[in-house]
């Protein structure tokens, strides 16, 4: 199978089969039955696996068996009549007014706390004749988290779109942000107008952030990969539950 397909695609399929169906690896293809897969699906649903994930595994296995039929390795695909599980991944979760205020307050408190910690750290360094760390006193933002959250809240941009955003796509003069097609889930370019909060944030972050190509970068000037820990801590401090960045 691997020799007949793109190696990367074949590797992905093989990994999926091994991860999803380790109990089938020693079986003959013709011996894999629909009833076995139904039992497997029920077990996975009980364990909490999402329907979409289950469907993905089963679809991969069905495609493999279809190819085996084409090549004459088996007479028929025993799974061809298995239907996809219904899945509802269109969960809608909005912050109410109180949660929005708590989130903003938590961001402000986080900034104040980090500034205070930096001041204490520098005081320690002065007393020990060590070089001081960059001061945060006069800065609006101590790191990327507040700008990222504001960008998401006021533009609706997805996480991947935010992390892949380049300064070339930010037009401060015309107050627009362009999401390039290669970074958009739809595959289409779109232009987003910015309100005063986002516009002022971007202007300030451009001065303070020290980023070069991407709006949000790591220490090696590569696009920031993630901010999960900071985000989860923020939600905890804001006492907001059952809320994802995607929401």
């Amino acid at each position: 199978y691997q020799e007949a397909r793109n190696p990367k695609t074949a590797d992905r399929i093989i990994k999926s089969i091994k991860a999803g169906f380790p109990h089938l690896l020693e079986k003959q293809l013709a011996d894999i039955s629909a009833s076995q897969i139904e039992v497997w699906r029920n077990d996975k649903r009980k364990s909490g696996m999402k329907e979409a994930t289950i469907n993905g595994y089963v679809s991969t296995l069905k495609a493999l068996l279809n190819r085996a039929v084409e090549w004459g390795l088996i007479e028929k695909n025993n799974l061809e009549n298995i239907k996809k599980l219904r899945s509802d991944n269109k969960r809608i979760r909005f912050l109410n007014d109180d949660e929005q205020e708590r989130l903003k307050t938590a961001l402000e408190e986080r900034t104040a706390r980090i500034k205070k910690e930096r001041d204490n750290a520098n005081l320690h360094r002065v007393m020990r004749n060590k070089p001081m760390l960059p001061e945060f006193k006069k800065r609006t933002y101590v790191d990327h988290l507040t700008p990222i959250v504001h960008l998401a809240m006021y533009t609706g941009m997805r996480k991947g779109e935010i992390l892949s955003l380049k300064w070339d796509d930010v037009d401060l003069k015309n107050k627009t942000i362009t999401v390039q097609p290669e970074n958009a889930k739809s595959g289409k370019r779109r232009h987003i107008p910015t309100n005063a909060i986002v516009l002022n944030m971007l202007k300030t972050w451009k001065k303070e952030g020290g980023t070069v190509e991407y709006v949000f970068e790591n220490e090696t000037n590569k696009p920031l990969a993630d901010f999960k820990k900071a985000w989860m801590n923020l939600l905890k401090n804001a006492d907001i539950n059952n809320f994802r960045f995607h929401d």
Side-chain angles (χ1 to χ4, degrees), residues 14 28 50 59-60 64 68 122 133 195 206 221 233:
I14 291 169
Q28 295 293 316
K50 293 182 178 179
S59 294
T60 300
L64 184 146
N122 276 334
L133 299 170
N195 64 11
K206 192 171 180 65
N221 297 124
N233 286 336

Side-chain angles (χ1 to χ4, degrees), residues 191-212:
H191 304 286
I192 304 171
T194 61
N195 64 11
I197 294 175
V198 172
L199 186 64
N200 291 331
M201 178 276 290
L202 288 169
K203 288 179 178 178
T204 303
W205 180 248
K206 192 171 180 65
K207 294 177 183 177
E208 298 182 351
T211 58
V212 181

Side-chain angles (χ1 to χ4, degrees), residues 51-65:
E51 285 83 358
T53 303
I54 294 172
N55 288 337
Y57 279 124
V58 175
S59 294
T60 300
L61 182 59
K62 287 175 69 175
L64 184 146
L65 294 179

